[in-house]
Amino acid sequence: MIELPGLAAEIPDNWGCQGMLTLTLPSPDKNVKPNVILTKELLPRPIELNEYFNRIKESIQKRGIKDLKISDEREVVISGVRGKMMVCAWDVSAMAAMLQKDRPDAPPPSVPPGQIVKQIQVTLLKDQLAINMTASFPADKFEIYYRPFQQFLKSLKIA
């Protein structure tokens, strides 16, 4: 059974459940949508937490965002499951410029320099179950959105 607000579905016992869910936090700014992207994945083989997390961290660093800064990295335990958390930030205009290079035929995104996003990456590993959360908030309102995100993390129940 999958249950989301406004949606429910019966899932056959022989189906796997892997996927991605995007949650948006309320925001008075109609242009900015603070969000949390949650993914659940069954890994093909067991892997050590630091090795798995370092792969994620490396993929973020290899995106080529020139002003990416990592401000915090630590171990966490959520719902009894060990994990790692990282906080990083960058100028959204740098990301927009990078996306424009990847899609030269698309209209250029209009993002003025100086709009900083702060992102929290949380990775949890339990056996071969990997849960990743990426929470992106405007840096100038980070503390406002970080508090409900922390409550969300405390509410997680991992079977």
Side-chain angles (χ1 to χ4, degrees):
M1 166 72 86
I2 291 178
E3 288 188 64
L4 300 170
L7 173 70
E10 291 292 327
I11 304 298
D13 290 341
N14 63 348
W15 285 19
C17 183
Q18 298 192 81
M20 181 183 334
L21 176 67
T22 301
L23 306 167
T24 55
L25 284 71
S27 170
D29 184 339
K30 60 182 175 267
N31 296 317
V32 175
K33 297 290 181 213
N35 64 77
V36 177
I37 298 172
L38 184 140
T39 61
K40 175 189 169 208
E41 176 183 11
L42 293 173
L43 303 174
R45 62 174 179 77
I47 186 170
E48 201 275 321
L49 174 63
N50 285 327
E51 180 184 348
Y52 183 77
F53 185 77
N54 284 336
R55 287 182 190 175
I56 292 169
K57 180 178 170 182
E58 201 174 285
S59 75
I60 292 168
Q61 292 170 318
K62 285 184 176 179
R63 287 182 194 159
I65 304 168
K66 63 182 176 191
D67 63 345
L68 175 73
K69 291 177 183 61
I70 297 171
S71 59
D72 189 14
E73 187 176 327
R74 66 178 96 153
E75 292 196 10
V76 294
V77 176
I78 297 170
S79 185
V81 178
R82 284 185 54 238
K84 294 210 55 158
M85 181 176 88
M86 175 178 76
V87 179
C88 56
W90 66 84
D91 189 316
V92 177
S93 65
M95 176 72 100
M98 186 188 78
L99 291 173
Q100 182 63 39
K101 265 195 254 179
D102 291 344
R103 299 184 195 145
D105 298 336
S110 62
V111 179
Q115 189 176 341
I116 308 298
V117 69
K118 213 165 184 182
Q119 189 174 76
I120 307 158
Q121 175 68 45
V122 177
T123 296
L124 305 171
L125 275 184
K126 182 179 181 185
D127 303 319
Q128 288 174 244
L129 173 64
I131 298 169
N132 288 290
M133 288 160 277
T134 305
S136 301
F137 309 133
D140 61 342
K141 295 183 174 61
F142 180 77
E143 291 304 320
I144 292 169
Y145 295 111
Y146 186 56
R147 284 190 293 272
F149 178 67
Q150 287 175 308
Q151 290 303 109
F152 170 73
L153 291 176
K154 287 178 185 175
S155 76
L156 285 175
K157 305 284 185 271
I158 301 168

